[in-house]
Amino acid sequence: PPSTGSVTPMSYASPVSSMTERAERALANMRFSDFGRRTGLRLPIPMDYSQRYNELIIQVVQIAMTLRQVIDAHDGALPKGTLCIIGANVLVFLKRDGVAFADVCLNPYAVLHLNQVDRLVKSAFVHRDLFHLLANMTGVLQDGAFLESQDGTATFLARTAVLLGLSQGMLVALSHSERRLAGYGS
């Protein structure tokens, strides 16, 4: 390196990106195989909430205040479409034995090379833990109720579905483009 004080740029490649294409594909295929899905991480992750009791109380109070505001703003009722979205998220969260992370994570390789396009939708309904669920559903409650009251239930749900597809698809497309520009894979 020069002694002039200039910084030599360092190249960085994550361990997965520095693998050969063949090894990377083999690892991904194993991760998304029946074996990989059975033995991998399950969501939601079990937590000892007694260790985070104060944080949980604060979050529950926050969602209760948001719920009260939404009910007051909508003549004592929750908008049906918003309620359906929250309900779907809660049902997935409460699923007995959880869900296999490898089955639902938004992984561009699985979408593009294994044709698992259902991940574009599934991944939006999975939450890491109770805090993740409560934080996201607070936002859905507040923003969803407002948008649904402006657009009507059918339009709100249609726009939500379109935006879900566009945002998840964009993430996969950007990931694919980034890998192509960096010279990894097809």
Side-chain angles (χ1 to χ4, degrees):
S3 61
T4 61
S6 64
V7 177
T8 304
M10 298 179 66
S11 64
Y12 170 78
S14 70
V16 173
S17 297
S18 62
M19 291 181 171
T20 66
E21 183 70 18
R22 184 177 301 160
E24 188 174 335
R25 285 184 187 264
L27 181 63
N29 283 326
M30 184 187 79
R31 184 181 312 135
F32 299 116
S33 70
D34 287 338
F35 171 77
R37 291 195 314 265
R38 278 193 318 270
T39 59
L41 176 69
R42 299 200 68 78
L43 295 175
I45 295 174
M47 291 184 70
D48 179 7
Y49 294 106
S50 66
Q51 298 295 321
R52 298 176 72 184
Y53 182 75
N54 292 338
E55 188 178 348
L56 184 59
I57 293 298
I58 290 169
Q59 199 152 20
V60 167
V61 168
Q62 184 179 28
I63 199 167
M65 290 180 353
T66 302
L67 183 61
R68 175 72 178 177
Q69 290 171 351
V70 168
I71 289 172
D72 287 348
H74 295 91
D75 299 323
L78 291 174
K80 290 179 177 78
T82 302
L83 200 54
C84 286
I85 292 171
I86 292 171
N89 279 274
V90 170
L91 285 174
V92 171
F93 186 81
L94 294 175
K95 186 177 178 189
R96 186 180 181 107
D97 298 325
V99 294
F101 180 68
D103 283 344
V104 297
C105 69
L106 182 56
N107 183 291
Y109 179 87
V111 172
L112 296 172
H113 298 285
L114 302 177
N115 298 318
Q116 297 176 358
V117 294
D118 56 322
R119 291 173 181 274
L120 295 170
V121 175
K122 284 181 182 178
S123 60
F125 291 92
V126 178
H127 296 84
R128 182 181 189 279
D129 57 30
L130 182 61
F131 293 102
H132 184 201
L133 177 74
L134 290 175
N136 283 9
M137 293 309 100
T138 301
V140 168
L141 178 62
Q142 189 167 25
D143 298 339
F146 172 76
L147 292 170
E148 187 175 354
S149 69
Q150 300 296 306
D151 299 338
T153 301
T155 302
F156 167 71
L157 290 173
R159 284 186 182 165
T160 300
V162 167
L163 290 173
L164 171 66
L166 288 173
S167 65
Q168 303 288 68
M170 183 63 70
L171 183 80
V172 170
L174 288 172
S175 176
H176 178 70
S177 298
E178 177 185 37
R179 291 185 53 73
R180 294 293 303 253
L181 288 171
Y184 298 113
S186 55

